[in-house]
Structure formats: structure tokens, C-alpha cells
Amino acid sequence: MEKYEQFDLSRINNLDIVEVAQRLGVNLRRSGSHYLMLCPWHDDTHPSLVLYNHSGDMHCHCYSCGAHHSVIDLAMALEGWSFQEACQWLSTEFGIGILPFGVYAPKPKRKPMEIVKEPEYTYISMPMVDELVTVRNPLCRCLMRMGKFPPEQIEWLTEEYRLGCYVLNEDEEWTVFPCIDGFGRVYNLKIQLYDTDPTSTRFGHSLENSYWLGGMWRNDGRFPEKAVFHSACMFGEHLLTKNPNSRVALVESPKNALFGALFDPSMTWLAVGSKGMLKRDVLQPLQGRDVMVIPDRDAIIEWTDALRGMADIANFTVSDFCLRYAPEGELKFDIADYLQQLWAEK
Ligand SMILES: [Zn+2]
């Protein structure tokens, strides 16, 4: 053992785990910001081993069997190598040197896969988000007006989801919804305009389309012209890390998630953002969770179909709540509409 200790094994274990898997000829599937592969520690048929290649913390984790391993472990499991063989191959392959292990670097079984480099994504910094966070954002002002919740609860909601206010066109106040992943990286900021006139029949409803601040700030020169933003993660995704054991409720719009969180804070409420975002890559962070999916009335069939092939990700239950409670003829009914009605009645 003494011999190995002269070597800093951390240099080997800090090698980019994605690149190691690629050089060992593994078929990788991209999932959001991660790569997935078939787990060598159990009889895997859907890729469930996630490779985490964040600097300083290279590891892999299987959401199916719970295996949690290092770069060296992965090479050993894939090739059937001994510890020494795996270290020797990794060290030689990546130019660290030859280790005095008395074993030669073995040859991997498969040809290396082409190395697909992830684009260098631009993330929005947390201070940029913090600058915008305020409980005086238009959507929370509507909630205050509804008079159903004490200010502390609305402040809690603002803090949890980092809600903000952004002024556009001189005086229009837009509500800011940050998309933050489980590692605290801000993918983008969605902004939406709401009708804040309490006498309007559309009070609390969205006006116009939503926009993304990342792209707007790139056009303004606040980000470099070549900045690439990730397609959004789920709104509220960072709360999955914070609440690892809670049940999850998944809805379409951020407003639905926020109203839901006020109604039942025991669940973690997330929003996919739009109908088309109900995709494998987007839903991957829900691995292993119990998820109650509450589609808008007009999306129940589409979402039920889309989730049918994704039972390996999470235990999804699709609710027809919005169909049962929608008033006659109202096709666009969602859970926020229901809750707003409910809160107005009392
Ligand atoms: Zn596994």
C-alpha cells in the first residue's frame, strides 16, 4: 500500500469522469447539464448512472441502485480491472505518468467514443439575481391584495423561489422567475407581466408573452455576444436539493407552482415552464421522487402520453384536477385559477 500512497490518487480521481467514460468507449446520453450511462453496478436497461463532472467533485451516482463511485471505481467496473490496472491505465492515458505498480496499463475493451464537448454555458450570477429579488414584485403584490396570506408567508415564497421585479420600457414592472438548478447555477431568468389592477376581471393573470432576461442582457451587451444560455431547467429545481425527501408537485407555469406552494407547502412545487418542456432531459433531476403532476386542463392528455415512457425517472401520478374543477367551457383552466377562485370566496 505504501507504494500507492506516494502518489496523489486525487490527481487520478479528479480526471474528468465524462472524458474517462468516453475514452473507455461508453455510450453517453446527454441529460441537461449531465451525462448518463448504463450503470455497470446493476443490470441496467435505461441509463441511470449520472456522471457528475463538476470541478473538484468528480463522481458518478446511480439513481436506480444507489451506487456512488469515483473515477477509478468506474474504470474498474467497466473493464473488470484491478485497482492497480485502472490507476495505471488512467495515469498513462491522461499523461500523469507511469505508476510503480508493477502492472502495465491494460487496453480497454472498446474503442473510444468521439469526445463531445459541452458548450461553455453562461450562467447568470447570483448577485445579479439578488439585485432583483423583492417581495414587492407584481405577482406577490397581487397575492397580498388577495388578502389571504400573511406577509411573512409571501416573503417566504419570495425567498424560496428568489422572485424579483424587473423594470422594462421605463415603467413596466415585470415579475422575475429565476431558473436555478440543484447546484445553485442560474440558467436564465424568465420575466412575465401581470394584470395588477384589482378591479380587472383578469386581475393576477398574465399579460403578453414571457421573455428571458439572459438573451435580453446579451443584446444589451451585459453578456458577451457569444454567450450561450442553457435551455431552462425546471423553475424551483434548486428546492429539490433543499427538500430531498418531500413529495413533488409538477405544474406548467411558475405562477401555478407559487400558488401551489402557498396552498400546500409540505410539497415541493416545480414548474416546467411550457407544455413542450415535459422532456426526459428536463425531468431527469426528479430521479426517484414521488411526483404529482397537475397539467393545465388543455394539456392533460398530452402530458399523460408524454410521461408514459418515463416511469424509470420518477413515480409520476397525473392528476385530472383541472378537468374536474374547470368551469364549463373553460379550456385554459389551471390550478392557479382554481386557487385564486377559492381564496376569493373566503
Ligand atoms: Zn446502478
Side-chain angles (χ1 to χ4, degrees), residues 38-44 48-49 61-67:
L38 289 174
C39 172
W41 286 281
H42 82 274
D43 186 15
D44 202 1
S48 43
L49 188 76
H61 183 85
C62 176
Y63 281 93
S64 187
C65 73

